[in-house]
């Protein structure tokens, strides 16, 4: 039986292989929380996005390792997330991991504006957002 501790690189595959599914509304809610966290901690996703170039599993493994090193109780952090707020970078990292495990990295994007590289979380149902909050009004 596969567990997360022994196979950090396949965490997302493990969730899907075990038949867990996450409704779109929950994934969108997680993306909204991550989007809010990225406004406070703009470099939160940067180290993982650089690792994605080669393979998503490398980025997920690094994120999983960092979450494990944070040292705070997952139960306490998840209660904080259930309340709909992120008060620490540790909680933001946990939320990012939950989003990635349930929806992959496809919701974490860079702004399509040529002069901008801001990272944002796409919280649309159709994954149609292309611009960060700064450029979204100018793009239309």
């Amino acid at each position: 039986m596969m567990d997360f501790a022994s196979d950090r690189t396949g965490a997302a595959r493990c969730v899907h292989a075990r038949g867990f599914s996450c409704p779109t509304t929950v994934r969108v809610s997680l993306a909204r929380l991550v989007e809010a966290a990225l406004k406070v901690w703009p470099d939160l996703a940067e180290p993982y996005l650089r690792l994605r170039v080669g393979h998503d599993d490398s980025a997920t493994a690094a994120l999983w390792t960092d979450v494990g090193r944070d040292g705070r109780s997952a139960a306490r952090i998840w209660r904080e997330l259930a309340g709909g707020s992120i008060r620490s970078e540790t909680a933001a990292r946990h939320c990012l991991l939950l989003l990635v495990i349930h929806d992959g990295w496809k919701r974490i994007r860079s702004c399509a504006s040529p002069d901008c590289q801001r990272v944002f979380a796409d919280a649309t149902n159709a994954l149609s957002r292309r611009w960060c909050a700064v450029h979204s009004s100018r793009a239309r």
Side-chain angles (χ1 to χ4, degrees), residues 32-134:
R32 284 188 187 122
L33 284 171
V34 170
E35 173 71 7
L38 286 168
K39 289 176 183 171
V40 178
W41 300 282
D43 296 332
L44 177 73
E46 284 301 321
Y48 315 113
L49 292 177
R50 279 183 262 137
L51 289 172
R52 274 189 61 211
V53 173
H55 202 282
D56 283 359
D57 281 350
S58 298
T60 306
L63 178 57
W64 184 270
T65 300
D66 289 347
V67 164
R69 284 187 195 141
D70 283 336
R72 286 185 50 204
S73 160
R76 179 176 290 163
I77 291 170
W78 290 11
R79 276 193 299 273
E80 179 181 324
L81 295 176
S85 66
I86 297 179
R87 295 183 295 259
S88 68
E89 191 171 355
T90 299
R93 203 171 287 113
H94 275 255
C95 190
L96 177 59
L97 180 63
L98 286 171
L99 178 62
V100 167
I101 286 173
H102 288 290
D103 212 14
W105 287 95
K106 62 189 172 195
R107 288 190 183 272
I108 307 302
R109 299 182 172 190
S110 295
C111 183
S113 181
D115 59 336
C116 181
Q117 294 300 312
R118 283 184 184 88
V119 174
F120 65 90
D122 184 351
T124 63
N125 286 343
L127 294 166
S128 58
R129 186 170 164 200
R130 296 182 53 210
W131 296 277
C132 69
V134 173

Side-chain angles (χ1 to χ4, degrees), residues 1-21 57 64 101:
M1 180 174 203
M2 183 188 310
D3 64 46
F4 292 122
S6 65
D7 184 28
R8 287 176 275 184
T9 61
R13 282 195 313 266
C14 181
V15 167
H16 294 294
R18 290 183 178 183
F20 296 116
S21 65
D57 281 350
W64 184 270
I101 286 173

